[in-house]
Amino acid sequence: MTSRTTAIDYVEDVSPGSGALPPRAWYPSSDAKSLSLNGSWRLRVSPTIDAEDDSFAEPGFDADGWPEVTVPGHWVLQGDGAFGLPIYTNHLYPFPVDPPHVPTENPTGDHLRVFDLPADWPADGGAVIRFDGVESCARVWLNGTDIGEFKGSRLPHEFAVGHLLKPSGNVLAVRVHQWSAGSYLEDQDQWWLPGIFRDVTLLHRPAGSALDFFVHASYDHVTGEGTLRVDSDVDGRVTVPALDIDVATGEPVTVPVQAWTAETPKLYDGVLATEGERVPLRIGFRTVVLEDGLIKVNGKAVLFKGVNRHEWHPDKGRALDLETMREDVLLMKRHNVNAVRTSHYPPHPAFLDLCDEYGLWVIDECDLETHGFTEQAWRDNPVDDDRWTPALLDRAARMVERDKNHPSVVIWSLGNEAGTGRGLTAMAEWIHGRDSSRLVHYEGDWNCRDTDMYSRMYASHAEVEQIGQELDGGTHKRRGLPFILCEYAHAMGNGPGGLADYQRLFETYERLQGAFVWEWIDHGIAHPELGYAYGGDFGEELHDGNFVCDGLLFPDRTPSPGLVEFKKVVEPVGIEGDGSAGTVRVTNKQDFADLSAFAFEWSYQVDGETVESGSLSVPALAPGESGEVKLPEPPAGGGGGETQWTVRASLAAGTAWAPKGHPVAWGQFAVAARPLPRVAATDGPVLGERVITLGPASFDARTGALRTVGGVAVNRLRLDVWRATTDNDEGAEWQTDTRYAELWRKYGLHRMRHRLDGVELGDDALTVRTRVAPAAWEFGLATVYRWTSDGNRLKLTVSVSPEGEWTVPLPRLGVRFGLDASADRVRWFGGGPGEGYADTKSASQLGRWESTVDGLQTPYLRPQENGARADVRWAEIGGLRIEGDPEFSFSARRWTTEQLDAASHRTDLTPGDTVWVNLDHGLHGIGTGSCGPGVLPQYSLRAEPAEFSFVFSEIS
């Protein structure tokens, strides 16, 4: 019996490929000619791995009948499904796990591009064709000649083709397989999207052109000098006019410089000139070391305020253009983000250029994840199998060599969720040997055998504090290393909660050097019927639902409330005040820059309205310094209302990333507290035919239910404890004690029943006694509604007493009622302008705000509890004014909580004939239980006795 060998064996070969040139430094341009091969290509997709022969690669092949697709692009996001559909899994492989084999049912896309050389294309020298990203395996022909094949989807591959080019009619053929042995190394939490999704470029290589080069640009923080040395495969000269540098390659030179940091991203323009090519350089001087158990840059420990960034566009997937990448960087800078982990692969190289230019610390992560092997206890994991080590080393080298000249890259990451093994050790050793100027990260190495830092995902606040106090144990080496949370604060749906509590820990303990939110953007795919689609919406055999929608941005790059909260929590200036003393304490929370870039302003509010404002003189405090600043005398005429100071920091001048006046930080502090609403009970309830009247209100005589307040109809006002569960309420399958939604539904909190126990007419009050409880359980809430009036206003006091044994927190505690659909405009005095919950309201500013009912909604991709405004003193809607005692949370929507809870997509929500209003005494916190810790105890809404009041009046 003989074994079968086919022309497609390369697909299942564990090697990285054949024919490609050695990896080298990436640079966007030089004076050598180049030709972009992006644009319209012909495509034929076959359902199996060997459905077609190779004849399409021959010159003269007639592909006029093939449809066209755009490159860069994914074929499953083009053609309205004609080429196949996307697949989303978090970690399960969407094919049988039998490494290195993949199914015969392997969608294969044959791509064709015919091109002519420009008229001025040089006749001498060579040429290379460069692929910046192809998923997951490609074989390439030029003019009928097989030039090689490769794996490593998010990594560059170049092939020498000068000898094959002709002036016109060049036929570039690329066969792309969706699955390959390389797919076992690319099990990242994202959509599986085959195609040529990054640039394809033809590069002229003149005689004597630059090959690979390494820009070493260190900084001595003691002397203020930088040392530059450019090692080059081809001899040449390096010039940096601004520094009067003109030296040979390989020769070091030391001069006074301004250092590069994420806060002060100083770049010097230079040129590497070889015999045949001039390559522009952008040089940033900085030194990264592990010293005193800390990650230090230019002699100072840094605090990462970071995000994990997948590449994403709702129409184009991972095929990002430069302007989309720039938009990401600008949004990060404008929201006080200072660091990016390129989860879980090297990004398009132009993104790193932007990080250099605008200033972001970067953890550059290798294109490696084998997460699906957890399902078999890591058995056969490629990273612990020597046969796969060449592929791992190839991936490490292609990342490091491509990106080594970026000053923004301060840490190399071996990959993500790939277990442990010899292959990772080999990668770490190679990287340490090749580039000693950066540190190495890998979260899965808890013993820190191969890494320069201790890294974790989703560790609880309590554990993070233990680590900060160096009480976490572990190996001797680990105890001496800095700690980062490479993932935390899972930003899925409403949330993440607890950001401020984490940040207090990071700012308290030196060993804790910050964290990276998971993640930057929701991976919703634009869909004509669903708005945005997520896992399961394309009929996937296996999928993980909306777990792919866990970003601080919505797919259209609109910031979510989570990003607004993050901006506030990590702001670079701390502003705390003592309203009674009339002082403000300003702290510079930056690592390198003083406060000279910021202008400060004070304002004074009475009952939420600013009555006076002015500039505030704050010294240019050095990093880490604090100072007390005297505020002006408060304006006269507070009038017994609630008064407060607000101090803001904004950009004093425009920068590359934001205009002058862009808000950076703010603080508020009270002077005089709010006088609580008082209603003297002067009117008593009057029983009429089927109706009870009390002041401006009418009630049903039989049930005591409120019907009207003045001329405003009120429908079904009663106690409410249910909320449409959030993704964080739902929790993750591996969690047992923080899956609140499952517990709430188990105990029937979504189906509470209301029993009327009595309607009592007193001399000055109408009292309605009820019991609110779920079917099948003996516990409940004894609830008393007590109504009083002073003739013009109506006061409701709600008293709640738990009965029986409550073992779960309440989702919410308050009242809900309906108003006519014409209710639209909303005004309120309280937290805003956006939503806020117990553990997500750091960014909630106290003031007077306005919105429409629709404007109150937060459009999470999977509908869920949203839109509550926190710490509300009063709200006006639909002709009603509502005042709270104490402050309350307010929300209003055009569908019921139950309809919101049942919806899978935004398009499932249809406005009804009622606006439903919630006035909440309490809301259970949000937490980050969709992947991380649940709600902290101080934000849990325990079932315990409570009393709260609302005062209703008709707006004349």
Side-chain angles (χ1 to χ4, degrees):
M1 181 175 228
T2 59
S3 62
R4 176 174 176 265
T5 302
T6 73
I8 58 165
D9 284 349
Y10 66 89
V11 175
E12 296 184 338
D13 192 333
V14 299
S15 73
S18 63
L21 295 169
R24 65 184 179 114
W26 185 88
Y27 48 92
S29 63
S30 75
D31 64 348
K33 292 289 184 181
S34 66
L35 175 65
S36 172
L37 298 179
N38 296 344
S40 181
W41 290 52
R42 297 285 184 174
L43 173 70
R44 174 183 65 190
V45 177
S46 304
T48 62
I49 197 169
D50 55 359
E52 306 289 349
D53 59 28
D54 300 343
S55 62
F56 83 104
E58 296 296 330
F61 181 86
D62 183 6
D64 287 347
W66 292 13
E68 295 184 344
V69 293
T70 298
V71 170
H74 306 279
W75 71 66
V76 294
L77 295 183
Q78 303 183 62
D80 294 326
F83 305 131
L85 295 168
I87 298 170
Y88 167 60
T89 61
N90 169 29
H91 77 279
L92 296 174
Y93 288 105
F95 48 80
V97 178
D98 182 22
H101 305 296
V102 293
T104 301
E105 295 137 338
N106 185 354
T108 297
D110 290 335
H111 296 70
L112 272 179
R113 174 79 152 84
V114 179
F115 65 93
D116 300 333
L117 295 178
D120 59 352
W121 191 267
D124 61 336
V128 301
I129 191 165
R130 181 184 185 92
F131 296 89
D132 280 309
V134 182
E135 184 176 330
S136 74
C137 173
R139 187 178 179 190
V140 186
W141 296 261
L142 182 61
N143 292 328
T145 298
D146 184 350
I147 60 175
E149 44 82 18
F150 62 91
K151 307 176 192 76
S153 297
R154 293 110 207 165
L155 297 163
H157 294 83
E158 292 182 333
F159 297 87
V161 296
H163 59 296
L164 299 174
L165 290 173
K166 53 187 182 180
S168 62
N170 292 282
V171 178
L172 177 59
V174 185
R175 171 163 287 169
V176 180
H177 305 281
Q178 176 155 20
W179 314 122
S180 68
S183 301
Y184 285 100
L185 304 179
E186 295 172 4
D187 190 25
Q188 294 99 338
D189 175 12
Q190 60 180 347
W191 294 95
W192 299 88
L193 300 173
I196 304 172
F197 69 95
R198 287 186 185 161
D199 306 288
V200 183
T201 312
L202 182 69
L203 302 166
H204 179 236
R205 299 283 77 209
S209 61
L211 296 177
D212 190 26
F213 59 91
F214 197 160
V215 177
H216 302 274
S218 61
Y219 178 74
D220 186 328
H221 65 278
V222 176
T223 65
E225 294 177 319
T227 299
L228 176 67
R229 188 186 82 246
V230 179
D231 295 334
S232 175
D233 288 356
V234 176
D235 291 342
R237 295 198 70 79
V238 176
T239 54
V240 186
L243 298 175
D244 293 327
I245 290 176
D246 185 349
V247 295
T249 53
E251 180 181 333
V253 57
T254 300
V255 293
V257 298
Q258 296 178 47
W260 188 97
T261 74
E263 296 166 8
T264 57
K266 176 63 178 177
L267 293 173
Y268 291 92
D269 291 325
V271 173
L272 165 63
T274 65
E275 178 185 354
E277 187 175 18
R278 291 174 58 85
V279 179
L281 305 177
R282 303 208 77 191
I283 303 164
F285 290 87
R286 56 106 187 95
T287 296
V288 185
V289 297
L290 180 65
E291 184 179 82
D292 303 323
L294 298 171
I295 302 166
K296 292 185 178 181
V297 180
N298 303 337
K300 293 186 177 182
V302 296
L303 183 61
F304 296 119
K305 304 169 182 179
V307 295
N308 285 273
R309 176 185 176 270
H310 268 299
E311 294 183 302
W312 189 253
H313 188 282
D315 296 304
K316 302 174 184 177
R318 287 186 286 278
L320 267 60
D321 57 48
L322 180 62
E323 287 314 304
T324 300
M325 292 184 259
R326 188 185 306 277
E327 186 177 359
D328 276 347
V329 172
L330 293 178
L331 280 167
M332 289 176 188
K333 294 292 289 187
R334 290 168 184 169
H335 288 87
N336 295 333
V337 173
N338 75 356
V340 181
R341 176 178 175 230
T342 69
S343 53
H344 296 295
Y345 42 83
H348 190 292
F351 178 77
L352 298 178
D353 283 341
L354 296 169
C355 294
D356 295 342
E357 178 182 352
Y358 292 102
L360 289 167
W361 307 117
V362 175
I363 298 180
D364 198 356
E365 192 148 272
C366 194
D367 189 11
L368 171 62
E369 181 167 336
T370 63
H371 199 175
F373 284 91
T374 57
E375 297 300 317
Q376 52 201 65
W378 296 108
R379 186 175 61 257
D380 298 327
N381 184 13
V383 305
D384 201 28
D385 182 335
D386 291 339
R387 295 175 300 164
W388 294 80
T389 299
L392 303 183
L393 290 173
D394 180 77
R395 287 170 184 250
R398 290 188 182 279
M399 171 183 69
V400 171
E401 302 296 7
R402 190 196 76 169
D403 298 341
K404 59 183 176 285
N405 295 328
H406 290 283
S408 58
V409 176
V410 292
I411 297 170
W412 302 116
S413 179
L414 303 181
N416 184 69
E417 292 176 319
T420 57
R422 292 163 287 176
L424 287 167
T425 299
M427 292 171 70
E429 290 176 348
W430 184 90
I431 292 174
H432 276 120
R434 175 59 173 146
D435 179 19
S436 61
S437 70
R438 295 177 174 91
L439 306 181
V440 171
H441 164 272
Y442 178 66
E443 184 271 340
D445 183 13
W446 285 17
N447 289 327
C448 302
R449 180 182 65 179
D450 301 321
T451 62
D452 297 313
M453 63 205 68
Y454 179 28
S455 176
R456 291 282 301 282
M457 297 179 181
Y458 307 110
S460 69
H461 297 78
E463 186 180 2
V464 169
E465 183 161 30
Q466 275 194 321
I467 294 169
Q469 295 169 336
E470 301 181 4
L471 300 176
D472 55 303
T475 62
H476 176 75
K477 178 183 179 184
R478 190 181 89 181
R479 292 197 302 273
L481 293 179
F483 177 79
I484 64 169
L485 277 167
C486 68
E487 292 180 22
Y488 86 128
H490 198 248
M492 186 176 177
N494 188 334
L499 281 172
D501 305 272
Y502 272 119
Q503 196 65 25
R504 279 191 287 271
L505 297 174
F506 303 151
E507 294 177 3
T508 299
Y509 300 103
E510 188 179 46
R511 185 188 184 193
L512 308 180
Q513 292 201 249
F516 296 77
V517 172
W518 185 266
E519 64 161 307
W520 178 237
I521 188 169
D522 285 343
H523 300 203
I525 294 177
H527 191 283
E529 298 171 1
L530 301 175
Y532 291 107
Y534 50 73
D537 289 333
F538 297 102
E540 300 101 307
E541 181 180 45
L542 296 172
H543 68 85
D544 287 283
N546 69 313
F547 202 69
V548 77
C549 299
D550 46 14
L552 293 170
L553 296 180
F554 296 124
D556 64 357
R557 284 180 162 72
T558 299
S560 76
L563 182 56
V564 177
E565 177 81 355
F566 186 73
K567 175 184 178 179
K568 171 61 179 169
V569 166
V570 302
E571 58 192 8
V573 184
I575 300 172
E576 298 174 310
D578 184 337
S580 59
T583 60
V584 60
R585 184 172 182 82
V586 178
T587 302
N588 183 356
K589 295 186 176 184
Q590 299 178 109
D591 295 323
F592 296 94
D594 64 24
L595 294 187
S596 59
F598 304 128
F600 291 81
E601 181 184 57
W602 62 267
S603 60
Y604 189 80
Q605 288 85 37
V606 177
D607 289 334
E609 290 192 306
T610 296
V611 296
E612 198 168 328
S613 63
S615 60
L616 185 67
S617 179
V618 175
L621 299 168
E625 282 190 343
S626 297
E628 296 281 345
V629 179
K630 185 69 176 174
L631 292 165
E633 288 297 317
E642 181 174 4
T643 53
Q644 68 175 13
W645 293 100
T646 300
V647 174
R648 305 179 190 278
S650 60
L651 291 180
T655 68
W657 49 269
K660 176 182 178 180
H662 169 77
V664 172
W666 57 271
Q668 290 183 316
F669 31 98
V671 179
R674 172 177 77 114
L676 295 175
R678 300 299 179 199
V679 176
T682 60
D683 286 22
V686 177
L687 177 62
E689 185 178 350
R690 298 183 181 180
V691 68
I692 299 169
T693 58
L694 176 62
S698 66
F699 300 80
D700 184 285
R702 183 177 59 86
T703 64
L706 178 65
R707 291 290 179 250
T708 62
V709 177
V712 179
V714 179
N715 182 26
R716 297 188 69 191
L717 185 147
R718 61 184 188 177
L719 190 78
D720 192 16
V721 300
W722 182 243
R723 74 182 186 198
T725 55
T726 68
D727 291 315
N728 286 309
D729 293 335
E730 296 288 343
E733 62 182 16
W734 57 86
Q735 295 163 326
T736 57
D737 58 346
T738 59
R739 300 188 70 184
Y740 299 111
E742 182 178 312
L743 294 171
W744 290 338
R745 288 193 169 94
K746 172 185 175 181
Y747 290 116
L749 301 192
H750 61 311
R751 48 177 176 78
M752 302 290 274
R753 298 291 180 257
H754 297 250
R755 184 183 77 206
L756 179 62
D757 287 341
V759 178
E760 303 170 4
L761 279 68
D763 291 340
D764 62 354
L766 169 64
T767 302
V768 181
R769 301 185 185 278
T770 69
R771 188 174 190 270
V772 183
W777 301 96
E778 64 178 356
F779 55 80
L781 301 170
T783 305
V784 178
Y785 308 90
R786 188 174 188 272
W787 299 92
T788 57
S789 176
D790 62 4
N792 295 312
R793 296 180 297 166
L794 179 71
K795 181 175 182 179
L796 166 64
T797 299
V798 183
S799 301
V800 179
S801 300
E803 297 177 341
E805 184 180 358
W806 283 81
T807 58
V808 293
L810 293 170
R812 74 182 337 135
L813 182 65
V815 297
R816 176 172 67 168
F817 59 89
L819 297 175
D820 186 80
S822 61
D824 183 47
R825 299 299 305 182
V826 183
R827 297 177 64 243
W828 74 98
F829 172 27
E835 71 182 25
Y837 292 79
D839 55 351
T840 68
K841 62 179 184 177
S842 296
S844 189
Q845 298 184 50
L846 183 61
R848 293 200 186 194
W849 309 101
E850 293 189 24
S851 176
T852 61
V853 169
D854 292 342
L856 292 176
Q857 315 309 308
T858 303
Y860 296 115
L861 267 64
R862 185 189 74 79
Q864 55 198 273
E865 166 62 35
N866 73 89
R869 270 52 180 183
D871 302 321
V872 174
R873 278 71 167 152
W874 56 257
E876 295 178 346
I877 180 173
L880 278 185
R881 179 181 174 94
I882 306 142
E883 299 172 78
D885 178 11
E887 289 79 29
F888 59 99
S889 288
F890 170 86
S891 56
R893 51 182 67 99
R894 299 187 181 277
W895 34 79
T896 66
T897 297
E898 291 73 22
Q899 290 168 329
L900 182 62
D901 199 28
S904 297
H905 295 83
R906 302 176 195 172
T907 50
D908 295 334
L909 295 169
T910 303
D913 58 3
T914 303
V915 169
W916 293 98
V917 177
N918 275 95
L919 312 176
D920 291 311
H921 175 64
L923 282 161
H924 186 64
I926 297 299
T928 183
S930 53
C931 192
V935 175
L936 287 168
Q938 61 266 37
Y939 307 120
S940 181
L941 183 60
R942 292 184 290 275
E944 56 190 15
E947 184 173 283
F948 48 93
S949 298
F950 302 105
V951 176
F952 300 85
S953 57
E954 185 179 13
I955 303 171
S956 58

